[in-house]
Amino acid sequence: NGSEQQLQQELEDVLMDPSVTELVGGPDHLGGAKHGYPTTAVPPRSDEPSDLSPGTPVPDEDSVVFSKLTYLGCASVNAPRSEVEALKLTSTEIANYPIYKILFCVRGHDGTPESDCFAFTESHYNTEIFRIHVFRCEIQEAVSRILYSFATAFRRSANKAPLAAKAPPLTPDSDVFTFTVSLEIKEDDGKGTFSAVSKDKDRQSFKLRPGMVKKIVIYVQQTSNKELAIERCFGLLLSPGKNVKNSDMHLLDLESMGKSSDGKSYIITGSWNPNTPQFQAVNEETPKDKFMYMTTAVDLVITEVEEPVRFLLETRVRVCSPNERLFWPFSKRSYTEIFYLKLRPVRMSSVEPKMLVTSLSFFLSFSRTILPDNDEPLLSGSGDVSKECGEKILETWGDLLSKWHLNLAVRPKQLPALVRNGVPEALRGEVWQLLAGCHNNDHLVEEYRTLITKESPQDSAITRDINRTFPAHDYFKDTGGDGQDSLYKICKAYSVYDEEIGYCQGQSFLAAVLLLHMPEEQAFSVLVKIMFEYGLRELFKQNFEDLHCKFFQLERLMQECIPDLYTHFLNLSLEAHMYASQWFLTLFTAKFPLYMVFHIIDLLLCEGISVIFNVALALLKTSKDDLLQTDFEGALKFFRVPVPKRYRSEENAKKLMELACSMKVTKLKKYEKEYHTIREQQEQQEAPIERYERENRRLQDANMRLEQENDDLAHELVSSKIALRKDLDNAEEKSDALNKELLITKQKLVESEDEKRRLEEESAQLKEMCRRELDKSESEIRKNGSIIGEYKQSAVPMKVEGCEKCSILFSKEGRLKVISTRKEGSEEDTDEEKEALKNQLREMELELAQTKLQLVEAECKIQDLEHHLGLALNEVQAAKKTWFNRTLSSIKTVTGAQGKESV
């Protein structure tokens, strides 16, 4: 489905080693397949030497044998020229297939495991099925030689047809330079990559699909005269239609810029979101057999050319149905034109046959452009703001705030005069909240904490803009830091809170200013107040009607206050939206120093959005003399670079704000009415069909939005029903489980009561037994005690009294008496008696010892009985606790929990 000439060019782009021709001996030594015959990789023959070189040229043959190649197999592909799909296959050996027509060739990237692999695609049996064949070469250096052999084979099969017309000879002295500019459009394929869109061969129009995120790729290559170095891309612009005005071009976000790997081309890549309102025309399905035009422009800064040079490409496009199957035609996918740049002594650049208009449109653009050091624009967030303030000023503000807090509903009379001089930096957070009426706004604070937990449909846009907001300020410059995190959460929360407007560029700058003076919850509340109550929200609506009205009012004020500058701009065709868009959409926060920005927010919260006109007119008045000396490009550049830098000086900023506060802006209502009258007249003069088509598109948009809301609500309703059904099922399952548990518990209760009765009976029996044993022990103790007492009292005295001799020696208590007088004649009798008494005394002591031993044994038995009684009582008590008390507590717990659930 494509020419061999095109394939040869594709193969030449794949070749990475420019010296490969010298390595293999030049094209004359390499053969190629005859036209119409398949080309295959031939395995090495068994009789070849082992040290065969990677590519061995065989003279007078139509093939080249490469050794140590492994055929990894083939698979069906949808995009036969996609490098991404070619590199997805793994190194698994499958089988081999005949090749009927080769369409594309690719090799793995250097430094990756696929660097020794190459692959080519073919149309399988001339049908709509495409296959890719993958090879791996053990000798990595041979891959480039193999690809060169492919290129040589197809060059021969095309009978050495020239790829393009012969380029004109280089003429260094000529003032004409030739450039070839190509346009390629890529779409998100839903797999995380972007693939080139197909192109209608008959109409030569790009076939786009609605709603798909796209990328624009521009290739610029100089083909004649001495090389003019391209320093950088100044801007990539896009607009639906043909012969569009400069003001209608929309700046795209640049993703990359720079030279190609071979250094021959300069490549610019930009992201394009077709879902934005300005690209609505190329995001709606095109009627069958029709097409539309799209204009793409790239502005380049070229060495030896004073102003940026614009290359303008007008291409046909057709938006296909999402369900339409897009086959891949293999004609050239890029759109290419040749431009001739002529340099003149006056250093004006012109391009023929296309006119290169070097003016740029910055409408709704907040992208920063890298310029030379002397022309570098002021980064947002620049400038220091001192918190020092005179004591008298602080005392005045302190008295005012004290009175204001007594009645927050009424602003003090002296407040406007103080605000015009600027709020002290240390008090701005408090004063801004009071001016916005957010001093007691707890419901917004609570809602903010809920909003940050929800998903935002504009999360990618918010994330992309966070790094661009106040990069010159320390609090916001660190990726992932506290400043960027808080800024992200505020922008995300507002996009969810205000679904109609969502997130728009400009909000992040205003939110960053607020974050520098208050916590994020209060900053969100003030942001909501500014958007809804100060008219800023109306500027961001889809048709931007209110924004255009503001531009009209500014031009009318210029005509009244600065007529000579108004006339100059009119002659230059310089419209207000070309330089004042950021002023209104970001409240001067995007480019001007912080000292001036904070003062403007002071006035905005105190006097309303009309302050923007005061500041804008003051800027134009102070810059009038410089602007009158500029042309179109110079004026735009002056607004972009010198004007913000001029007010880095605090003194200059003070003078500007004094001038702005002294100006009285009137007739805004009159100019607004005039604008709407002109718009009505234009609509009446407009063709009815166009008006109806526009109204139809508006209604379709509203209908789509309502259908989307309806779908969301239906989805939410279904989700809620499913969740409720699931909760009900869970509750029923839980109820069944609790009922089963209750039955088991009741059964356990009955068993516990039976066990309790049994234990009580055993306890009573044990108590009775213990009582009997205790009574028996007590009776024995009493008996033993009485025996011992009687023995002590009567045993010894009775024996002593019964003996005449002993009664003399012992007292009634049984104690031995001391007899001082003895009879001399009875010494022998006395000795005998003493001996007898001693014997009796020993017998009595022995009997007494035995009695004491029996007493000790009785006491030990009593202690054992008491110990057994204590153990029995403890067992009874433990049995009561372990069965009865535990069962009762579990029943109470279950019945209590069930009672709560039933309540």
Side-chain angles (χ1 to χ4, degrees):
N1 296 337
S3 65
E4 295 171 350
Q5 175 180 342
Q6 180 193 352
L7 176 61
Q8 180 181 353
Q9 183 176 359
E10 296 284 358
L11 287 169
E12 288 180 350
D13 292 338
V14 171
L15 294 178
M16 296 183 179
D17 190 355
S19 61
V20 69
T21 305
E22 299 176 2
L23 292 175
V24 298
D28 294 337
H29 296 282
L30 296 176
K34 294 292 185 180
H35 181 64
Y37 289 88
T39 303
T40 57
V42 183
R45 296 190 297 271
S46 59
D47 57 350
E48 290 181 350
S50 59
D51 58 348
L52 188 64
S53 61
T56 304
V58 182
D60 302 325
E61 290 190 13
D62 291 335
S63 65
V64 179
V65 178
F66 290 92
S67 64
K68 298 185 180 180
L69 283 177
T70 302
Y71 180 56
L72 302 181
C74 70
S76 298
V77 292
N78 295 323
R81 291 192 179 91
S82 172
E83 181 178 350
V84 176
E85 291 209 24
L87 297 178
K88 281 183 180 178
L89 297 182
T90 60
S91 58
T92 303
E93 187 169 350
I94 307 173
N96 55 23
Y97 297 88
I99 301 172
Y100 288 91
K101 193 167 186 180
I102 295 177
L103 304 172
F104 182 71
C105 189
V106 67
R107 70 166 294 177
H109 294 294
D110 290 337
T112 66
E114 295 80 19
S115 60
D116 57 350
C117 295
F118 67 94
F120 56 82
T121 57
E122 50 96 9
S123 58
H124 193 55
Y125 297 107
N126 291 325
T127 65
E128 295 296 337
I129 300 176
F130 307 104
R131 289 191 169 181
I132 181 167
H133 298 263
V134 186
F135 294 84
R136 182 183 296 275
C137 183
E138 296 182 17
I139 305 175
Q140 190 172 3
E141 294 80 5
V143 177
S144 297
R145 304 182 183 183
I146 294 170
L147 295 178
Y148 185 83
S149 297
F150 271 102
T152 305
F154 282 95
R155 184 182 295 114
R156 290 189 177 185
S157 65
N159 296 324
K160 298 183 180 180
L163 289 176
K166 187 176 180 180
L170 296 179
T171 54
D173 297 332
S174 173
D175 56 357
V176 177
F177 299 80
T178 307
F179 288 86
T180 300
V181 182
S182 300
L183 166 67
E184 187 177 37
I185 304 176
K186 296 183 177 182
E187 283 184 341
D188 187 356
D189 58 5
K191 302 177 182 177
T193 57
F194 286 80
S195 301
V197 303
S198 58
K199 195 176 178 189
D200 194 321
K201 293 186 296 182
D202 299 331
R203 299 178 179 270
Q204 291 297 310
S205 59
F206 288 103
K207 299 167 74 173
L208 310 178
R209 281 182 284 188
M212 305 294 291
V213 178
K214 300 174 176 61
K215 288 186 179 181
I216 299 294
V217 184
I218 302 289
Y219 302 87
V220 181
Q221 182 176 0
Q222 184 180 346
T223 57
S224 72
N225 216 322
K226 66 177 183 178
E227 181 181 2
L228 295 178
I230 299 176
E231 295 181 4
R232 62 187 176 278
C233 174
F234 196 69
L236 181 61
L237 302 101
L238 184 69
S239 176
K242 185 179 181 181
N243 297 324
V244 297
K245 296 188 296 184
N246 298 327
S247 58
D248 293 334
M249 299 292 289
H250 303 282
L251 199 65
L252 301 180
D253 289 334
L254 289 177
E255 288 192 354
S256 63
M257 65 181 82
K259 288 188 175 182
S260 60
S261 57
D262 58 5
K264 296 180 180 180
S265 303
Y266 192 86
I267 305 175
I268 307 101
T269 304
S271 60
W272 169 24
N273 184 2
N275 296 315
T276 53
Q278 56 266 32
F279 299 123
Q280 186 66 28
V282 287
N283 197 35
E284 298 176 348
E285 186 176 343
T286 308
K288 196 172 182 180
D289 299 330
K290 290 188 178 181
F291 59 86
M292 66 182 69
Y293 279 95
M294 182 182 75
T295 303
T296 309
V298 59
D299 297 292
L300 301 177
V301 177
I302 300 178
T303 304
E304 300 183 17
V305 181
E306 183 178 4
E307 296 294 339
V309 179
R310 170 168 292 183
F311 294 94
L312 202 67
L313 300 172
E314 294 177 345
T315 56
R316 292 181 177 182
V317 296
R318 189 170 74 85
V319 183
C320 305
S321 170
N323 300 324
E324 181 178 346
R325 185 178 178 185
L326 301 180
F327 296 102
W328 286 89
F330 301 110
S331 59
K332 200 157 189 176
R333 292 169 298 176
S334 60
Y335 173 79
T336 304
E337 284 195 25
I338 298 177
F339 292 83
Y340 300 94
L341 175 67
K342 187 173 183 180
L343 299 182
R344 298 173 181 170
V346 293
R347 302 184 65 84
M348 294 293 292
S349 59
S350 62
V351 175
E352 301 174 0
K354 294 284 185 179
M355 179 182 298
L356 294 182
V357 183
T358 57
S359 62
L360 298 176
S361 170
F362 289 91
F363 181 60
L364 296 179
S365 163
F366 306 103
S367 302
R368 297 191 304 275
T369 308
I370 301 175
L371 298 174
D373 292 339
N374 56 347
D375 283 340
E376 185 176 357
L378 192 66
L379 295 178
S380 61
S382 299
D384 297 327
V385 181
S386 175
K387 291 188 177 182
E388 296 181 0
C389 187
E391 292 184 4
K392 291 185 178 180
I393 297 177
L394 287 176
E395 289 178 2
T396 304
W397 274 98
D399 295 340
L400 181 139
L401 290 175
S402 299
K403 295 178 182 178
W404 196 358
H405 278 288
L406 296 176
N407 187 5
L408 294 173
V410 180
R411 292 182 177 181
K413 293 182 180 179
Q414 64 271 34
L415 180 64
L418 290 177
V419 172
R420 289 191 184 100
N421 292 326
V423 179
E425 177 64 14
L427 301 176
R428 275 200 166 104
E430 180 183 0
V431 173
W432 284 1
Q433 292 183 58
L434 293 173
L435 288 171
C438 297
H439 49 278
N440 188 16
N441 210 357
D442 295 336
H443 71 281
L444 268 180
V445 172
E446 292 299 326
E447 189 169 3
Y448 170 77
R449 293 168 182 166
T450 304
L451 291 171
I452 58 177
T453 62
K454 298 182 179 180
E455 295 294 330
S456 171
Q458 297 165 307
D459 187 79
S460 59
I462 296 172
T463 304
R464 184 176 61 248
D465 287 343
I466 293 302
N467 291 328
R468 307 175 181 178
T469 305
F470 284 9
H473 199 282
D474 292 339
Y475 186 56
F476 298 102
K477 68 180 181 181
D478 294 332
T479 302
D482 294 340
Q484 291 195 8
D485 181 63
S486 298
L487 185 58
Y488 167 77
K489 289 194 288 187
I490 288 182
C491 296
K492 173 186 173 181
Y494 186 86
S495 67
V496 178
Y497 178 82
D498 188 1
E499 294 182 356
E500 182 182 359
I501 300 299
Y503 170 77
C504 47
Q505 291 175 320
Q507 288 179 0
S508 60
F509 293 97
L510 183 56
V513 171
L514 299 175
L515 275 174
L516 292 176
H517 296 90
M518 60 192 76
E520 58 187 64
E521 293 89 350
Q522 284 74 24
F524 172 76
S525 302
V526 177
L527 177 64
V528 171
K529 288 287 186 179
I530 293 177
M531 293 293 294
F532 277 83
E533 297 184 8
Y534 286 82
L536 191 61
R537 183 174 178 270
E538 303 299 323
L539 300 179
F540 293 101
K541 288 193 174 179
Q542 288 187 355
N543 55 5
F544 295 101
E545 190 68 22
D546 194 69
L547 184 62
H548 290 298
C549 181
K550 294 290 188 293
F551 294 146
F552 179 84
Q553 291 172 315
L554 180 59
E555 290 179 345
R556 284 290 185 266
L557 290 171
M558 282 182 60
Q559 187 178 6
E560 179 183 350
C561 303
I562 323 170
D564 48 352
L565 186 59
Y566 171 79
T567 304
H568 181 64
F569 282 0
L570 198 62
N571 294 332
L572 295 177
S573 298
L574 184 63
E575 301 175 4
H577 68 80
M578 298 179 183
Y579 58 86
S581 297
Q582 287 187 354
W583 297 357
F584 285 96
L585 292 176
T586 69
L587 305 179
F588 297 93
T589 58
K591 294 297 181 184
F592 287 88
L594 291 180
Y595 178 86
M596 177 178 166
V597 167
F598 293 166
H599 199 169
I600 292 174
I601 302 300
D602 295 341
L603 296 171
L604 170 77
L605 293 171
C606 184
E607 302 182 9
I609 200 170
S610 61
V611 169
I612 306 301
F613 292 101
N614 294 65
V615 179
L617 287 175
L619 284 171
L620 292 170
K621 269 194 172 184
T622 54
S623 306
K624 183 183 72 171
D625 294 338
D626 297 316
L627 290 170
L628 289 174
Q629 305 299 322
T630 60
D631 56 5
F632 183 87
E633 312 298 337
L636 288 176
K637 185 177 180 181
F638 185 80
F639 280 117
R640 188 175 65 255
V641 182
V643 169
K645 286 186 175 181
R646 178 177 295 177
Y647 300 104
R648 286 181 296 184
S649 168
E650 191 172 317
E651 183 179 355
N652 290 344
K654 283 184 179 179
K655 291 180 179 179
L656 176 71
M657 298 309 297
E658 289 175 359
L659 177 61
C661 293
S662 65
M663 299 179 66
K664 293 184 179 180
V665 176
T666 58
K667 302 181 181 180
L668 288 178
K669 292 291 184 182
K670 174 184 175 182
Y671 295 147
E672 182 179 0
K673 188 180 294 185
E674 181 181 350
Y675 170 79
H676 290 298
T677 302
I678 294 174
R679 289 288 297 167
E680 290 176 1
Q681 292 175 355
Q682 290 177 350
E683 291 178 359
Q684 292 176 359
Q685 295 174 359
E686 187 179 13
I689 295 178
E690 295 180 357
R691 185 168 68 254
Y692 293 148
E693 287 179 350
R694 188 181 68 253
E695 182 67 17
N696 184 39
R697 284 195 299 269
R698 187 184 64 80
L699 292 175
Q700 285 180 350
D701 293 340
N703 184 45
M704 290 178 63
R705 187 173 65 254
L706 292 174
E707 287 181 353
Q708 182 64 37
E709 292 177 359
N710 185 40
D711 292 341
D712 294 340
L713 290 174
H715 182 268
E716 185 177 354
L717 178 61
V718 172
S719 302
S720 300
K721 286 184 176 180
I722 294 173
L724 289 173
R725 181 70 259 179
K726 187 176 180 180
D727 292 341
L728 182 59
D729 293 341
N730 293 334
E732 291 177 351
E733 292 177 358
K734 189 174 182 180
S735 177
D736 294 339
L738 290 174
N739 288 330
K740 292 180 181 178
E741 188 175 352
L742 180 60
L743 293 175
I744 295 172
T745 305
K746 287 181 178 179
Q747 183 66 28
K748 289 183 177 180
L749 178 60
V750 173
E751 295 176 356
S752 300
E753 289 177 349
D754 295 339
E755 182 71 16
K756 175 189 173 187
R757 285 193 296 271
R758 185 180 62 79
L759 291 174
E760 286 177 349
E761 293 174 356
E762 291 180 357
S763 176
Q765 294 175 0
L766 185 61
K767 284 182 179 180
E768 182 64 24
M769 182 184 68
C770 291
R771 187 182 62 78
R772 288 197 301 268
E773 292 292 331
L774 184 61
D775 293 342
K776 184 178 179 181
S777 300
E778 288 178 352
S779 63
E780 288 182 357
I781 291 171
R782 285 195 298 272
K783 183 178 179 181
N784 293 330
S786 62
I787 291 173
I788 294 171
E790 290 176 357
Y791 178 80
K792 287 181 178 181
Q793 293 176 1
S794 61
V796 175
M798 288 177 64
K799 289 184 178 182
V800 173
E801 290 176 357
C803 181
E804 295 179 356
K805 295 179 180 181
C806 293
S807 59
I808 299 173
L809 298 173
F810 290 91
S811 64
K812 291 182 177 180
E813 290 80 11
R815 297 177 182 176
L816 184 66
K817 294 180 179 179
V818 180
I819 301 175
S820 58
T821 61
R822 297 175 179 175
K823 291 182 178 180
E824 296 178 359
S826 60
E827 291 181 357
E828 295 180 358
D829 296 336
T830 303
D831 294 334
E832 293 177 356
E833 291 177 357
K834 287 182 178 181
E835 188 66 25
L837 289 173
K838 288 181 179 178
N839 293 331
Q840 290 180 358
L841 181 61
R842 281 195 293 273
E843 292 176 359
M844 293 176 67
E845 287 177 350
L846 180 62
E847 185 178 355
L848 179 62
Q850 291 177 352
T851 304
K852 288 183 177 180
L853 181 61
Q854 292 177 356
L855 179 61
V856 171
E857 290 177 352
E859 289 177 353
C860 291
K861 185 179 291 187
I862 292 171
Q863 289 179 357
D864 289 338
L865 290 174
E866 290 178 349
H867 178 67
H868 288 303
L869 179 61
L871 292 177
L873 291 175
N874 289 336
E875 288 178 358
V876 172
Q877 188 69 19
K880 288 182 180 180
K881 290 183 179 179
T882 55
W883 289 95
F884 182 70
N885 292 343
R886 193 189 312 163
T887 303
L888 287 180
S889 61
S890 63
I891 293 172
K892 289 179 182 179
T893 303
V894 173
T895 55
Q898 186 176 7
K900 290 181 181 179
E901 291 184 2
S902 63
V903 174

